[in-house]
Amino acid sequence: MAYQKIINIAVIAHVDAGKSTLVDAFLNQSHVFRDNEETVDCVMDSNDLERERGITIYSKNCSVTYKDYKINIVDTPGHADFSSEVERIIKTVDTVILLVDSSEGPMPQTRFVLQKSLECGLRPILLINKIDKKDERADQVIDEVYDLFLDLNATDEQLDFPILYGIARQGIVRYQPADENEDITPLFETILKHCEAYPDLTEEPVQMQVSALAYDDYIGRLGIGRVYEGTLKEGSTVILCNDEGRQERRKINQVFVYKGLSRIAVSEAQCGEIVMISGVADISIGDTLCDPENIRPLPMIRIEEPTLSMNFMVNTSPFAGQSGKYVTSRNIRERLEKELEVNVGLKVEETDTTDCFKVSGRGELHLSVLLENMRREGYEVAVSKPEVIMHKVDGALYEPVEEVVCSVPNEYSGTVISKLNLRKGIMVDIQDEGSYTRILYTVPTRGLLGYRSEFINDTRGEGTMVRRLAGYEAYKGDIPQRANGALISTETGKAMTYALWNIQERGQLFVSPQTEVYEGMIIGMSARNMDMDVNPLKNKKMTAVRSTGNDEAMKLVPPKIMSLEEALEFINDDELVELTPTDIRIRKKYLTALERRQHMRELNKAAAELEEE
């Protein structure tokens, strides 16, 4: 097999900086698609959820050919909640293209992915994207990137990075903003000049490390990773080395490589190539496949620990099983086990009861994406309020702390600052940016649960807030919960306009007329800091007596329709979110008022006994 020059690159950036759009330009301009083939924007965001949210959730591979080089491209998630994807991918590439918005500059997640790249010794290429924006400030952004590199202890070699300018949406990359070329040739040329092809080690004994997993219903579990040395052949026997130090003989069935967007089977793959292999059922992240005659395991890949957990329970509401196909604990267990096959940032634990599983992940988005996928697949599940995972160090309690960057209109900055202070936040920096104020805070993750929707209301939808995990700090003490109570239905049936018209004076509604409700379901947020039991089924009395004037037209304020993330942020410890393929409902754990009173008495009694001890 003739040696093929291979360079692997990853595109890293903050959410919405244009990663997937740049990958589109790579594919279009290297003639991966036929002239008559219909293509879509962000072709790598193939998952329905990715398309709807406009973000990359799962890292994906594709390849293009330029001159006599094969360039494998990895599109990485920009969100810190999917950091377990980013960390592993960085180990399989030769260089990274750091994409930075020409007006926003480096954002918290940019810092996260860049830090991982620098730790692996990679020398990035900087691409200032969206230079056609009216508020572009490319020169200042480059200075900010230099500051960021210095902050992350970059070496002199890493600081000497090439700078390019682009408009990814139009498929343009230039050496200077004033250039007139209309393609991305400068980027291809810079990659070849800046990064050497993987060295020819095809004669060495084979060595490959698994950095990602995939699953195929027909061929089972698939391992994805880079061949570091030698040539990997289909049907060959290898030694599998895992993190427990075990070394076991395994046989590889098929070997796949990427060509364009397709996965194609090959008889052998040379060193430098990113491959996908089948036939090893127990393969896992970080496992090394070695030649039986030359066993040399590579260092294990460390994956960061989860920071949030929530309980996934069997749906026990009166409406359970009406729209879902999979509703039992066995169904939920099998689905979570299937997710663990590929989602290594996730952790699933059994609880005292068979109907409940404790699921831990990297953040609210990480867990809500799993729940949304389950919902769409026909599962019904009830979930509890997310809880932060604490660590104990030398007997002291430590909790995760996040770096938060808020950009808000000047008139709302005072409100945001006071709310973050209440949530035990510490201000690190504040800058004036014309009509906007940029505020940098460190806040405990506990304090940020439920804050996003409050932030959107406080800034009238004009503010932006981005967060990333900064580390663990000593426990910060109690943080206030949701200030408002809930409006709880006392009846089961269809909500009536007349009843809702009277209830809407007491708070904000979550349901509209003719919505099916049940006893214990939360139908709105109370204007006071206490729960209120209300009857949404009460209708107007039908009598023959007419009033002299016309009946008032009952105009309802449009209800707030809760998204999954908003519902998870809203609930308190005694509440659950009920997810079905057709509905997202919020309910009390104890549905009747009597059960809630009894539970409260038990809690008070337990608290009194503790005080006595």
Side-chain angles (χ1 to χ4, degrees):
M1 181 181 178
Y3 171 66
Q4 159 94 62
K5 292 181 185 173
I6 292 175
I7 296 176
N8 294 348
I9 63 167
V11 185
I12 61 172
H14 175 73
V15 179
D16 243 10
K19 293 183 301 300
S20 301
T21 318
L22 181 66
V23 175
D24 285 354
F26 268 120
L27 293 165
N28 288 324
Q29 293 186 32
S30 55
H31 308 295
V32 165
F33 305 111
R34 298 187 310 275
D35 292 340
N36 64 346
E37 191 171 346
E38 193 176 320
T39 60
V40 291
D41 288 341
C42 297
V43 69
M44 292 286 274
D45 289 345
S46 49
N47 180 284
D48 286 345
L49 215 51
E50 292 180 315
R51 289 204 167 282
E52 281 173 31
R53 297 181 182 222
I55 59 171
T56 303
I57 295 172
Y58 309 104
S59 66
K60 292 174 239 35
N61 301 41
C62 66
S63 78
V64 298
T65 306
Y66 182 74
K67 294 184 175 175
D68 56 342
Y69 286 80
K70 179 179 181 183
I71 300 174
N72 285 315
I73 304 164
V74 185
D75 186 16
T76 61
H79 212 288
D81 279 22
F82 308 111
S83 57
S84 57
E85 297 267 340
V86 178
E87 292 166 61
R88 307 189 309 269
I89 295 310
I90 295 301
K91 291 194 180 296
T92 66
V93 299
D94 302 306
T95 189
V96 291
I97 298 171
L98 176 64
L99 209 62
V100 180
D101 188 298
S102 64
S103 68
E104 285 181 352
M107 299 293 270
Q109 267 95 319
T110 317
R111 183 190 183 94
F112 171 79
V113 281
L114 180 63
Q115 184 177 3
K116 295 292 171 195
S117 310
L118 296 178
E119 282 171 8
C120 291
L122 299 179
R123 292 169 54 221
I125 295 167
L126 176 63
L127 175 54
I128 305 293
N129 194 24
K130 305 184 185 179
I131 56 166
D132 55 336
K133 273 189 170 183
K134 286 180 184 172
D135 56 347
E136 68 89 16
R137 48 184 193 97
D139 293 342
Q140 290 161 271
V141 167
I142 290 167
D143 290 342
E144 288 173 17
V145 173
Y146 272 115
D147 290 342
L148 180 58
F149 270 71
L150 290 167
D151 221 15
L152 296 174
N153 301 319
T155 63
D156 291 346
E157 260 196 327
Q158 289 171 329
L159 276 167
D160 186 21
F161 51 80
I163 303 169
L164 297 167
Y165 303 84
I167 309 166
R169 188 173 286 280
Q170 294 175 27
I172 297 170
V173 175
R174 294 169 176 162
Y175 292 115
Q176 294 297 331
D179 291 352
E180 293 182 357
N181 64 297
E182 296 291 319
D183 56 18
I184 61 164
T185 304
L187 182 53
F188 277 125
E189 291 294 339
T190 304
I191 291 167
L192 302 195
K193 187 178 166 187
H194 181 69
C195 187
E196 292 177 5
Y198 197 82
D200 183 359
L201 302 171
T202 47
E203 300 304 315
E204 299 294 319
V206 71
Q207 188 186 45
M208 172 202 164
Q209 187 168 38
V210 178
S211 59
L213 298 171
Y215 192 82
D216 188 291
D217 291 337
Y218 298 103
I219 52 180
R221 201 169 191 176
L222 300 164
I224 304 168
R226 185 172 209 176
V227 181
Y228 287 95
E229 290 185 16
T231 305
L232 192 68
K233 298 178 181 178
E234 66 171 342
S236 61
T237 300
V238 292
I239 297 294
L240 179 74
C241 308
N242 64 14
D243 60 335
E244 294 162 9
R246 284 190 299 132
Q247 297 180 358
E248 294 173 356
R249 194 171 282 266
R250 293 284 185 272
K251 186 180 178 185
I252 293 166
N253 282 354
Q254 287 174 290
V255 177
F256 302 92
V257 298
Y258 294 92
K259 185 177 181 183
L261 290 167
S262 311
R263 180 179 91 191
I264 59 165
V266 292
S267 58
E268 56 182 56
Q270 66 170 50
C271 55
E273 184 71 88
I274 294 177
V275 300
M276 185 184 276
I277 60 162
S278 69
V280 186
D282 57 347
I283 201 162
S284 189
I285 300 290
D287 289 356
T288 309
L289 303 179
C290 305
D291 187 293
E293 307 298 319
N294 196 320
I295 302 169
R296 294 167 299 145
L298 287 161
M300 279 305 295
I301 298 172
R302 191 181 65 83
I303 294 157
E304 288 195 19
E305 290 294 306
T307 57
L308 273 188
S309 70
M310 57 173 76
N311 291 332
F312 285 34
M313 291 166 268
V314 171
N315 186 14
T316 55
S317 89
F319 295 167
Q322 287 185 2
S323 62
K325 202 161 51 165
Y326 308 108
V327 294
T328 65
S329 60
R330 182 175 62 82
N331 294 144
I332 295 169
R333 176 188 275 106
E334 284 173 359
R335 177 63 181 83
L336 291 173
E337 284 171 356
K338 185 183 171 187
E339 187 68 21
L340 286 172
E341 291 275 349
V342 291
N343 192 343
V344 292
L346 203 69
K347 190 176 173 187
V348 178
E349 298 164 84
E350 300 277 343
T351 59
D352 301 338
T353 65
T354 54
D355 290 350
C356 178
F357 305 92
K358 184 181 178 184
V359 182
S360 308
R362 290 280 299 157
E364 285 169 288
L365 188 62
H366 187 193
L367 293 169
S368 67
V369 163
L370 168 61
L371 285 166
E372 186 65 46
N373 281 327
M374 287 175 69
R375 216 186 121 207
R376 291 173 184 218
E377 290 162 21
Y379 287 83
E380 281 195 17
V381 64
V383 292
S384 66
K385 181 183 173 70
E387 291 177 10
V388 166
I389 298 170
M390 303 286 190
H391 283 194
K392 276 208 167 175
V393 181
D394 300 331
L397 206 57
Y398 278 70
E399 64 175 323
V401 173
E402 299 193 22
E403 182 182 279
V404 182
V405 176
C406 302
S407 182
V408 296
N410 294 339
E411 61 265 36
Y412 308 130
S413 59
T415 312
V416 171
I417 289 168
S418 67
K419 290 273 177 82
L420 289 173
N421 287 344
L422 279 174
R423 290 165 180 268
K424 304 286 194 226
I426 296 169
M427 186 188 286
V428 177
D429 188 28
I430 184 166
Q431 291 176 8
D432 182 29
E433 295 183 338
S435 61
Y436 273 69
T437 305
R438 187 184 173 99
I439 310 161
L440 178 61
Y441 257 84
T442 56
V443 191
T445 301
R446 272 185 313 134
L448 292 169
L449 294 178
Y451 179 60
R452 186 173 290 277
S453 48
E454 210 175 302
F455 174 81
I456 291 167
N457 290 337
D458 289 343
T459 61
R460 309 296 185 270
E462 292 180 50
T464 58
M465 177 175 76
V466 282
R467 330 162 11 180
R468 75 169 190 96
L469 184 69
Y472 284 79
E473 290 182 14
Y475 183 70
K476 307 280 185 185
D478 290 336
I479 292 173
Q481 287 256 325
R482 186 182 79 215
N484 300 67
L487 299 173
I488 308 161
S489 172
T490 57
E491 304 291 331
T492 301
K494 283 186 179 174
M496 292 291 178
T497 306
Y498 179 73
L500 295 180
W501 186 69
N502 287 310
I503 293 168
Q504 72 180 2
E505 295 171 8
R506 304 179 190 182
Q508 185 178 29
L509 292 173
F510 297 158
V511 297
S512 51
Q514 298 304 301
T515 301
E516 294 274 359
V517 298
Y518 55 80
E519 183 180 7
M521 179 172 154
I522 294 171
I523 63 161
M525 181 169 67
S526 167
R528 299 184 181 182
N529 64 348
M530 57 183 278
D531 290 345
M532 298 171 78
D533 292 334
V534 294
N535 179 1
L537 273 57
K538 190 176 179 184
N539 212 351
K540 194 172 184 182
K541 292 280 187 291
M542 296 294 186
T543 67
V545 180
R546 296 281 179 270
S547 59
T548 50
N550 293 328
D551 284 346
E552 290 179 56
M554 292 181 183
K555 289 184 180 172
L556 292 178
V557 176
K560 178 176 175 57
I561 306 301
M562 286 283 206
S563 69
L564 173 54
E565 275 95 353
E566 287 170 335
L568 291 172
E569 285 181 355
F570 175 80
I571 58 174
N572 270 339
D573 296 333
D574 63 336
E575 294 161 359
L576 300 173
V577 176
E578 176 193 344
L579 293 166
T580 74
T582 53
D583 297 287
I584 296 171
R585 304 185 187 99
I586 304 172
R587 53 164 280 195
K588 286 288 182 183
K589 271 185 189 172
Y590 300 94
L591 293 177
T592 66
L594 179 63
E595 284 176 330
R596 290 195 291 276
R597 281 199 295 273
Q598 284 174 341
H599 177 64
M600 192 52 70
R601 278 196 210 107
E602 286 168 16
L603 286 179
N604 291 337
K605 189 179 172 186
E609 285 171 2
L610 270 174
E611 279 180 20
E612 284 172 18
E613 286 174 12

